[in-house]
Amino acid sequence: MALKLYNTLTREKEDFSPIDPKNVRMYVCGPTVYDFAHIGNARPVIVFDLLFRLLRHTYGAQAVTYVRNVTDVDDKINARAARDFPGLALNDAIREVTSTTEAQFQADVTALGTLAPTVQPRATEHIAEMIALIEKLIASGHAYAAEGHVLFDVPSMPDYGRLSKRPLDDMIAGARVDVAPYKRGEMDFVLWKPSADDEPGWQSPWGRGRPGWHIECSAMSWKHLGEVFDIHGGGIDLLFPHHENEVAQSRCAFGHDVMANVWMHNGFLQVEGEKMSKSLGNFLTINQLLADWPGEVLRFTMMKTHYRQPIDWTVKSLEESWKTLDDWYWFVGDTPGTKPAKAVVEALADDLATPKMIAELHALRNAAQRNGGEGARDALAGSLRFLGFLADTPDAWAARRKTSVSVDVEQVEALIAARLSARKHKNWAESDRIRDELAGLGVVLKDAKDPASGEMKTTWEVKR
RNA sequence: GGCCUCGUGGCGGAGUGGUUACGCAGCGGACUGCAAAUCCGUGUACUCCGGUUCGAAUCCGGACGAGGCCUCCA
């Protein structure tokens, strides 16, 4: 089956063909661990988890290496550590910030139904590779040391700007970058910078210092995936300068035409039509959302929009998603299917066309309904599991609504029993009165005849 | 100023040079004591102005509008 992916490098949808089908290699920029991950951070996590699953399906589960890094050295981390743990020595404070933030991140993304990447390397464990890379760049004339800094010499790379389509001349004309005395060119960026005694640092040929922002991804992708690999992913905001500079570092260090063959970028996320920002007060962390919504609801909501489109994150959309998943959980029941439907895989294979994929899921559901076909129901169940859904049992899923608002379960059950008794005696006035009373508590009833016994049975759920 | 997206029915959201996307909501019907849930059915669209074409919502040009990046950011 042909897999097509949109490549930012060529701005075209291309047939994907791996360098080595026995080892398909993908790198995705992971979090800088200084604060709770927000819902925007969840987007690439979910998008590339889907791609990971698709690649495993296509090439075999053992034939895909997915690397998502953890950046645990950064000046934002240092600032956070100093602010939050003023009593601790800086290194202890930093460890406190990075370890708790990373643990939180892992818990969050697990709740979103994602598979663990093959490797999750940490920047601080790859300082030696970074130094080696910087030495290669200096040796090949693409970097220079100055006043304890090492800078990448941007003009030494003729096609710098190719990935983000920013000609160098234009950038210099509109540059809003720091003019530092040790820089030769305005666009030159830092590979290594000196650390003061109270800042985290490592010994290097240029003195005690720490890495610049972009070098860690070049070092970690090199270490775990090699000099050239198949797919590099991340958010569109990283395209420039982060990815452009990664490419510059890796290509100039190793002398290849490309760093990764395919570059994929997910679009931005807005919240209720506005940019998400702390100042607007609409900053949503994954953790906060998980308090109100099942992880699968967040996951499905993300899939309703194609990954390259901007997504507007709204409560209305979340509510719709929950309803859709309710129906599928109920409809699928304990159907055992484990294999995804061909149409679902094909939709995904077309540059992760998740809206098309969702339409195919609805089509399976409708087909199963019309023909009573177990084949379609099996395929729906298998597809949903393949996509990272149906982790709950149907009962556990249904119970999530009951626990999302606090109600007195015993009281509700007692009222339902009273109502059933009233109905048995055709006391409709009393029956309706009880139903209204429950509605006042936020409880909605569903009556059904048990097909086996013909007995009336009432189930209930909490309406938000 | 430079670069990049995008403008589709009440809402969300695909796709395509000539044929139903899909979902939610709405509406009609079945079921029900009445509802809810479920089932069956169903209307509404392609920002504007030019051009290419037998034919454009789909291609090209322009206008208007929305958003993003260029500085930490998924």
Side-chain angles (χ1 to χ4, degrees):
Chain A
M1 174 203 51
L3 173 56
K4 287 196 170 77
L5 298 173
Y6 181 87
N7 187 356
T8 308
L9 199 54
T10 57
R11 314 274 158 156
E12 279 176 1
K13 217 194 270 189
E14 299 172 347
D15 287 333
F16 176 69
S17 100
I19 299 165
D20 175 6
K22 296 254 185 335
N23 185 19
V24 181
R25 289 163 284 160
M26 170 162 80
Y27 185 93
V28 175
C29 290
T32 299
V33 285
Y34 71 102
D35 200 357
F36 280 93
H38 57 70
I39 190 60
N41 300 117
R43 194 168 190 194
V45 169
I46 291 170
V47 165
F48 292 104
D49 176 68
L50 263 184
L51 181 56
F52 183 39
R53 288 168 185 264
L54 179 65
L55 291 171
R56 285 161 57 97
H57 179 79
T58 306
Y59 295 96
Q62 302 307 314
V64 184
T65 305
Y66 170 24
V67 177
R68 186 180 63 208
N69 68 289
V70 173
T71 296
D72 58 352
V73 50
D74 185 280
D75 288 352
K76 287 195 294 286
I77 296 172
N78 304 344
R80 183 61 59 107
R83 190 194 79 183
D84 290 357
F85 302 97
L88 293 181
L90 186 64
N91 277 342
D92 294 334
I94 286 171
R95 196 168 312 116
E96 197 64 33
V97 169
T98 57
S99 64
T100 56
T101 308
E102 188 187 335
Q104 183 66 55
F105 175 79
Q106 300 297 350
D108 287 347
V109 301
T110 300
L112 293 174
T114 58
L115 302 174
T118 321
V119 188
Q120 301 196 60
R122 291 189 192 82
T124 52
E125 291 165 5
H126 295 76
I127 301 292
E129 285 82 359
M130 296 184 206
I131 290 172
L133 211 47
I134 294 169
E135 286 182 315
K136 279 178 191 287
L137 288 168
I138 292 174
S140 59
H142 290 291
Y144 56 92
E147 296 179 30
H149 293 72
V150 183
L151 289 114
F152 186 90
D153 183 3
V154 169
S156 76
M157 184 184 186
D159 61 349
Y160 181 87
R162 177 176 141 207
L163 177 65
S164 58
K165 290 245 191 314
R166 286 160 204 268
L168 195 51
D169 297 349
D170 292 5
M171 275 188 280
I172 291 170
R176 280 196 264 165
V177 291
D178 284 344
V179 181
Y182 47 81
K183 275 191 186 181
R184 285 188 202 159
E186 291 178 87
M187 294 304 296
D188 294 355
F189 58 91
V190 170
L191 300 172
W192 190 264
K193 56 189 167 187
S195 292
D197 289 343
D198 61 347
E199 289 172 325
W202 290 262
Q203 285 306 325
S204 80
W206 318 284
R208 184 172 173 279
R210 60 194 193 282
W213 174 31
H214 316 292
I215 194 74
E216 85 278 10
C217 286
S218 287
M220 288 186 271
S221 61
W222 172 39
K223 168 80 179 290
H224 297 281
L225 297 175
E227 296 179 3
V228 178
F229 50 96
D230 295 299
I231 300 170
H232 189 128
I236 186 73
D237 55 306
L238 291 180
L239 179 57
F240 188 89
H242 183 57
H243 289 163
E244 195 66 56
N245 290 351
E246 266 186 60
V247 168
Q249 293 161 354
S250 294
R251 283 184 51 201
C252 290
F254 303 121
H256 298 298
D257 284 345
V258 294
M259 175 187 186
N261 284 328
V262 182
W263 286 79
M264 295 177 67
H265 292 94
N266 61 269
F268 236 68
L269 176 145
Q270 288 195 303
V271 172
E272 306 287 351
E274 290 184 304
K275 182 175 169 124
M276 178 167 66
S277 73
K278 284 176 180 164
S279 57
L280 283 172
N282 62 354
F283 195 86
L284 301 175
T285 67
I286 301 173
N287 198 242
Q288 286 167 342
L289 286 164
L290 285 170
D292 293 329
W293 309 91
E296 291 186 17
V297 168
L298 307 184
R299 183 175 177 84
F300 185 70
T301 300
M302 213 59 98
M303 292 180 187
K304 291 201 292 196
T305 303
H306 183 85
Y307 77 93
R308 284 191 277 120
Q309 296 294 114
I311 187 171
D312 189 14
W313 191 263
T314 64
V315 168
K316 187 164 178 255
S317 182
L318 287 164
E319 280 169 350
E320 264 190 36
S321 299
W322 200 336
K323 259 164 76 170
T324 302
L325 289 172
D326 275 349
D327 178 66
W328 286 342
Y329 259 100
W330 166 80
F331 188 79
V332 163
D334 51 8
T335 307
T338 53
K339 284 213 306 234
K342 190 157 170 276
V344 167
V345 175
E346 278 172 358
L348 276 182
D350 182 13
D351 193 34
L352 301 180
T354 49
K356 175 83 162 68
M357 171 198 89
I358 290 171
E360 298 295 348
L361 293 172
H362 287 298
L364 286 173
R365 197 260 189 234
N366 292 336
Q369 173 66 39
R370 268 196 298 278
N371 315 330
E374 287 310 300
R377 194 189 300 262
D378 243 45
L380 176 62
S383 299
L384 288 170
R385 292 197 178 97
F386 167 71
L387 296 167
F389 297 104
L390 302 186
D392 280 343
T393 63
D395 284 348
W397 178 263
R400 284 178 180 271
R401 287 216 188 248
K402 292 177 188 170
T403 54
S404 66
V405 177
S406 61
V407 292
D408 184 337
V409 174
E410 276 182 32
Q411 182 199 4
V412 170
E413 303 282 356
L415 284 166
I416 287 174
R419 173 167 169 273
L420 278 174
S421 152
R423 293 190 60 195
K424 211 171 241 169
H425 298 97
K426 298 199 190 298
N427 187 349
W428 309 124
E430 175 66 2
S431 164
D432 290 353
R433 189 198 63 73
I434 295 173
R435 186 169 66 201
D436 290 347
E437 185 181 340
L438 283 166
L441 297 171
V443 172
V444 177
L445 303 181
K446 296 181 202 173
D447 293 332
K449 267 201 185 101
D450 188 307
S453 64
E455 287 268 305
M456 264 304 183
K457 251 183 77 178
T458 298
T459 57
W460 60 282
E461 70 177 35
V462 176
K463 256 284 185 307
R464 303 168 79 69

